């Protein structure tokens, strides 16, 4: 891991790293916030919240805009933010649109060429990055996962597909039923092909019926979100959870939009949700 930058923050430390990713066959950058408990002369390993960001974002959006570090420092919780896709792999069309290719990896493993070699963000987020972080930084293997929009979709899918890997999961304005919305249909057809049966493995709403672990889902959604009616469809996720007795709390917030102003307003609730599951409260 190559250390790119470091900043002190609420007694902890924000760092950015670059490393060679085997899963993605390219160099990747990620950010980590280490709380005070993980630093100093006698550091104690701390649990980790993995945050998955949305379309067009990098590792820096959450760290600079969400305002999570103050409470994370108090709780003794590390936060790791990966990028949202491979970068600079020179695939045709990777930079043509905001919702496919660069900045839009959708946290799946692509099977369609030419994307299959590099666009394996699921393997990267679930396996490769945690293994690297846990081997090289003062953190434990106690994990939580959360995210926003495309990243909320990713957090739900990662948790539902990996029973026992995460202690808790939450999401802000997730793309809850991607196989039935324009963003998801574009990404899934491009990365996976046109066989919709293959899409089901990457759709949280369709994963609920066969989930082998019933982690409670905390989902926050703004009523003034410009993508609520056309892209996000939280009602489909709630319906699936109710039919299959999967615990979910969907909190609708009047007047809030899709921005980081919304995330910053409620991020403490999510940190406390994860801290309780991780034994920090």
């Amino acid at each position: 891991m190559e250390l790119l930058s470091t900043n002190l923050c609420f007694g902890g430390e924000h760092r950015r790293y670059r490393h060679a990713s085997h899963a993605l066959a390219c160099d990747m950058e990620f950010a980590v916030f280490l709380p005070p408990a993980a630093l100093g002369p006698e550091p104690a390993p701390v649990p980790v919240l993995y945050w998955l960001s949305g379309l067009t974002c990098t590792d820096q959006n959450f760290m600079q805009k969400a305002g999570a570090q103050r409470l994370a420092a108090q709780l003794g919780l590390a936060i790791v933010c990966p990028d949202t896709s491979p970068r600079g792999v020179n695939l045709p069309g990777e930079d043509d649109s905001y919702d496919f290719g660069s900045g839009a990896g959708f946290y799946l493993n692509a099977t369609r060429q030419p994307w299959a070699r590099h666009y394996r963000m699921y393997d990267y987020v679930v396996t490769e990055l945690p293994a690297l972080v846990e081997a090289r930084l003062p953190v434990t293997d106690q994990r939580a996962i959360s995210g926003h929009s495309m990243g909320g979709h990713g957090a739900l899918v990662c948790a539902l597909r990996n029973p026992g890997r995460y202690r808790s999961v939450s999401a802000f304005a997730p793309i809850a039923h991607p196989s039935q919305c324009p963003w998801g249909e574009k990404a899934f057809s491009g990365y996976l092909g046109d066989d919709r049966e293959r899409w089901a493995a990457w759709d949280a709403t369709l994963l609920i019926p066969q989930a082998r672990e019933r982690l409670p889902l905390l989902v926050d959604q703004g009523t003034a979100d410009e993508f609520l009616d056309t892209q996000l469809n939280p009602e489909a996720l709630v319906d699936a959870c109710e039919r299959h007795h999967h615990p979910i709390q969907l909190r609708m917030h009047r007047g809030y939009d899709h921005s980081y102003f919304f995330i910053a307003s409620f991020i403490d609730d999510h940190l406390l949700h994860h801290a309780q599951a991780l034994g920090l409260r």
Side-chain angles (χ1 to χ4, degrees):
M1 299 194 316
E2 175 190 358
L3 181 63
L4 300 177
S5 65
T6 180
N7 307 90
L8 296 182
C9 186
F10 296 108
E13 192 171 349
H14 168 261
R15 302 175 183 174
R16 295 191 69 243
Y17 288 99
R18 179 186 294 123
H19 74 106
S21 167
H22 175 75
L24 305 178
C26 67
D27 286 349
M28 291 293 288
E29 296 178 359
F30 70 94
V32 58
F33 172 73
L34 294 172
L39 305 171
E42 297 182 2
V46 297
V48 181
L49 171 64
Y50 289 87
W51 173 268
L52 308 184
S53 293
L55 290 167
T56 76
C57 290
T58 69
D59 64 279
Q60 299 185 65
N61 296 75
F62 179 84
M63 290 299 194
Q64 295 180 6
K65 296 180 180 180
Q69 292 93 336
R70 182 192 296 272
L71 183 55
Q74 296 172 4
L75 292 169
L77 178 65
I79 303 174
V80 170
C81 296
D83 204 343
T84 52
S85 77
R87 301 283 177 173
V89 293
N90 299 317
L91 296 180
E94 70 177 354
D95 297 319
D96 287 355
S97 60
Y98 79 96
D99 54 358
F100 186 81
S102 296
F106 267 83
Y107 305 103
L108 51 72
N109 287 340
T111 56
R112 189 175 186 181
Q113 298 299 339
W115 310 98
R117 182 181 177 214
H118 296 285
Y119 277 70
R120 304 185 63 82
M121 286 298 294
Y122 173 80
D123 281 353
Y124 179 70
V125 165
V126 172
T127 304
E128 184 178 32
L129 183 59
L132 179 68
V133 167
E134 290 163 18
R136 301 289 297 274
L137 297 174
V139 302
T140 71
D141 61 358
Q142 303 302 301
R143 312 174 194 95
I145 192 165
S146 186
H148 171 231
S149 194
M150 178 185 72
H153 141 76
L156 295 172
V157 167
C158 290
L160 290 168
R161 287 176 57 119
N162 293 278
R165 187 157 186 82
Y166 303 98
R167 292 290 188 92
S168 53
V169 58
S170 71
F172 286 84
I175 305 173
H177 196 8
S179 61
Q180 297 295 325
C181 77
W183 278 341
E185 290 175 336
K186 179 177 181 177
F188 286 4
S189 61
Y191 294 134
L192 304 172
D194 296 328
D195 183 356
R196 285 179 171 260
E197 291 186 4
R198 296 184 178 182
W199 298 6
W202 309 103
D203 186 315
T205 295
L206 300 180
L207 288 170
I208 289 293
Q210 65 263 31
R212 291 186 288 123
E213 182 181 40
R214 297 297 177 186
L215 281 181
L217 310 182
L218 172 61
V219 177
D220 276 354
Q221 175 65 60
T223 63
D225 190 319
E226 62 268 41
F227 304 113
L228 176 58
D229 294 334
T230 57
Q231 303 283 9
L232 304 180
N233 203 0
E235 294 84 1
L237 179 64
V238 171
D239 288 346
C241 288
E242 290 179 347
R243 288 197 308 271
H244 296 278
H245 309 290
H246 195 119
I248 186 171
Q249 183 182 15
L250 172 64
R251 308 192 309 179
M252 301 296 296
H253 299 280
R254 183 176 179 82
Y256 283 87
D257 59 18
H258 200 70
S259 71
Y260 267 85
F261 294 107
F262 166 53
I263 295 171
S265 299
F266 301 102
I267 189 62
D268 283 3
D269 292 348
H270 286 244
L271 295 178
L272 293 171
H273 166 79
H274 295 296
Q276 184 170 5
L278 291 164
L280 298 177
R281 297 184 66 204

